[in-house]
Amino acid sequence: MSDLPENLKYTKTHEWAQLEDDNIVRVGITDFAQEELGDLVYIELPELGRKVQAGEQCAVVESVKTASDLFSPAAGEIVAVNVALVDEPEQINKDAYHTWLFCIRADAVADLDQLMDAPDYAQMIEH
Amino acid sequence: MLKQTPLFDLHLESGAKMVPFAGYQMPVHYTQGIIHEHLHCRSHAGFFDISHMGQCLIRGDSAASELEQLTPSDITGLEPGQQKYTVLTNSNGGIIDDIIVTRNASGLMIIVNAACKDKDFAHLKSHLSDRCHFEDLPDHALFALQGPAAAMIMQKFSPETADLSFMQSCEADISGIKCNISRSGYTGEDGFEISVANHYADQLARLLLAEDEVEPIGLGARDTLRLEAGLCLYGHELTEAITPVEAGLQWVFKKGHSKFPGAHRILDQLQHGAERIRTGLVVDSKIPVREGSVIINNEAMPIGHVTSGSFSPSLGRPIAMALLDRSSASPGNILYAKVREREIAVAVSKLPFIPHHHYRLKKS
């Protein structure tokens, strides 16, 4: 698991979060998560403009075998969703760290301080 | 402690993701994933390790007549080499397990579901008289080779399999390895199931997997393949509380047979119809409708629930099977599945979703 991008933050529920300009946080699922889920066939994205709390369930990814909830890594407003994924959910299987699901404008970027860095997440998924 | 099949090392070598299943560590999929494996099996040939399933042998002159009294099916009429899919029923008419019975040279060979092994064997032993000899066969592995290329591959190793019709079996020799081969399977494709002593399992598996057309298939695709083929899975479409009539298994019944557990209720349903029956559902969106999802009609009345639901790799859309009130179960009927507070339109569909390609020798 040495290939975890160092520039991302990670949640216990296997989302990655990338802080960009203007408090924008881009969110996807980790490679470990897509590997565990297997072939993805359906994505349910949050509505634009929805206000979410940190840790609030706000999207669903479904593989052939199972459905899995996604949780927002920060409090804020959903400002973008990756609609292209609705028709091609398998993009996540192909490249989990370059395939984002939604962006939040975070109320406070300090929320991300609660998340794990790559080495901590690597340690978590190894156990 | 989870058990391993004789192919455990081979699964790991093949890149399997192993999961606990019915007390065993089993491959759920290999490196290319469920959808790839599923489509490969439909277009070429898939190799399945199903050694977790239980195998036993019942011997004795009265074996067939005694077993017949535990199932609604014709067991006494089985010719040598012939197989029968049937169910063990309980006294309420529910299903203890679905099984395959084969009459072979040594007796009646029975294959049962892994998760039901202990209760089935206890049930058989407690009901069979001491004129029958019951033998568990834990030292035997079981494989399936399924798909349009399976027959061609099997014939290369064992020419006698060319003469097998669907649900017939024979003893055969593959590169000096003695096995029992039947033309059967649970994917809807033509194919074979092969029982072999554990000692030779790895060797035989490698022989079959070395064929260009053959890829290993995990439990994930095994499930989507059987779902498309409209086949029941124990614990889902079949339980101790679901009768064979509700499950749509009337075709396994022997006419006039009424001496089996639960016959009173089952034969009453057979005559008058069951209140609920198993149907197919096709989903009119990309949203998978999963097991347990409640089905409602257009008046929002609950009329049943989904027993298995997944994505159909062949059709590229979600499909499901459900137990529904018979009055709502006409093909084409539009109903709604509750999925996460939403109501998803589904259409009742005939089964199977994908036509079967079983091989039946033409009688001349």
Side-chain angles (χ1 to χ4, degrees), chain B residues 15 37 44 48 81 121 129 202 210 214 217-218 247 249 255 258 262 264 309:
Chain B
E37 289 172 24
H44 297 78
F48 304 72
F121 290 175
S129 77
D202 185 85
V214 182
I217 313 287
L249 298 179
K255 257 195 190 149
S258 62
H264 180 74

Side-chain angles (χ1 to χ4, degrees), chain B residues 99-132:
Chain B
I99 63 174
I100 299 262
V101 182
T102 309
R103 183 189 282 278
N104 64 25
S106 25
L108 293 174
M109 166 99 171
I110 305 179
I111 297 173
V112 307
N113 280 300
C116 299
K117 214 186 286 190
D118 294 344
K119 74 166 179 177
D120 288 359
F121 290 175
H123 177 75
L124 290 170
K125 282 191 261 188
S126 72
H127 284 81
L128 296 173
S129 77
D130 47 17
R131 293 193 295 149
C132 288

Side-chain angles (χ1 to χ4, degrees), chain B residues 50-165:
Chain B
I50 47 172
S51 303
H52 58 310
M53 298 185 84
Q55 301 183 67
C56 69
L57 183 69
I58 304 175
R59 281 181 293 185
D61 293 341
S62 61
S65 57
E66 291 193 31
L67 183 59
E68 190 165 287
Q69 306 215 344
L70 299 176
T71 82
S73 298
D74 184 2
I75 307 296
T76 51
L78 274 182
E79 303 282 342
Q82 215 185 341
Q83 296 192 303
K84 191 96 192 167
Y85 172 82
T86 185
V87 289
L88 297 170
T89 51
N90 66 28
S91 54
N92 296 319
I95 297 168
I96 296 170
D97 197 7
D98 58 331
I99 63 174
I100 299 262
V101 182
T102 309
R103 183 189 282 278
N104 64 25
S106 25
L108 293 174
M109 166 99 171
I110 305 179
I111 297 173
V112 307
N113 280 300
C116 299
K117 214 186 286 190
D118 294 344
K119 74 166 179 177
D120 288 359
F121 290 175
H123 177 75
L124 290 170
K125 282 191 261 188
S126 72
H127 284 81
L128 296 173
S129 77
D130 47 17
R131 293 193 295 149
C132 288
H133 178 77
F134 176 94
E135 189 187 347
D136 184 4
L137 302 172
D139 54 347
H140 277 65
L142 193 65
F143 308 148
L145 185 70
Q146 302 278 297
M152 184 260 300
I153 293 159
M154 216 58 218
Q155 279 167 42
K156 242 171 68 177
F157 291 107
S158 164
E160 57 268 55
T161 57
D163 299 329
L164 291 178
S165 220

Side-chain angles (χ1 to χ4, degrees), chain A residues 35-36 38-42 44 60 62-67 69 86-89, chain B residues 17 28-29 32-36 219-220 223-224 286-288 290 310-311 340 342:
Chain A
E35 186 81 41
E36 285 294 304
D39 292 333
L40 293 174
V41 294
Y42 178 71
E44 205 162 272
V60 179
E62 298 208 33
S63 66
V64 176
K65 283 213 77 74
T66 189
D69 288 333
V86 173
D87 287 325
E88 290 186 321
Chain B
K17 178 178 165 57
V28 63
H29 61 75
Q32 303 208 64
I34 294 175
I35 293 175
H36 170 89
L219 291 179
D223 190 46
T224 51
K286 295 195 74 160
I287 304 177
R290 308 271 181 190
S310 188
F311 176 82
R340 296 187 289 272
R342 290 164 69 175

Side-chain angles (χ1 to χ4, degrees), chain B residues 100-270:
Chain B
I100 299 262
V101 182
T102 309
R103 183 189 282 278
N104 64 25
S106 25
L108 293 174
M109 166 99 171
I110 305 179
I111 297 173
V112 307
N113 280 300
C116 299
K117 214 186 286 190
D118 294 344
K119 74 166 179 177
D120 288 359
F121 290 175
H123 177 75
L124 290 170
K125 282 191 261 188
S126 72
H127 284 81
L128 296 173
S129 77
D130 47 17
R131 293 193 295 149
C132 288
H133 178 77
F134 176 94
E135 189 187 347
D136 184 4
L137 302 172
D139 54 347
H140 277 65
L142 193 65
F143 308 148
L145 185 70
Q146 302 278 297
M152 184 260 300
I153 293 159
M154 216 58 218
Q155 279 167 42
K156 242 171 68 177
F157 291 107
S158 164
E160 57 268 55
T161 57
D163 299 329
L164 291 178
S165 220
F166 182 58
M167 298 306 272
Q168 284 185 336
S169 92
C170 69
E171 283 181 16
D173 200 294
I174 296 183
S175 296
I177 305 170
K178 221 179 126 230
C179 24
N180 265 298
I181 302 178
S182 62
R183 197 152 202 165
S184 57
Y186 221 56
T187 60
E189 297 300 323
D190 183 20
F192 302 85
E193 290 186 342
I194 307 156
S195 174
V196 61
N198 284 344
H199 183 70
Y200 299 105
D202 185 85
Q203 188 189 341
L204 180 59
R206 285 176 198 272
L207 216 56
L208 295 170
L209 281 165
E211 292 294 309
D212 285 347
E213 302 261 4
V214 182
E215 286 186 15
I217 313 287
L219 291 179
R222 183 168 167 81
D223 190 46
T224 51
L225 286 159
R226 70 94 200 164
L227 179 59
E228 283 183 354
L231 300 170
C232 297
L233 181 62
Y234 196 81
H236 302 259
E237 286 71 38
L238 311 177
T239 71
E240 299 261 0
I242 298 171
T243 72
V245 180
E246 292 166 340
L249 298 179
Q250 291 89 330
W251 56 275
V252 310
F253 288 28
K254 176 185 185 177
K255 257 195 190 149
H257 180 22
S258 62
K259 290 198 175 69
F260 58 91
H264 180 74
R265 176 159 178 232
I266 290 170
L267 295 177
D268 181 71
Q269 286 187 342
L270 193 59

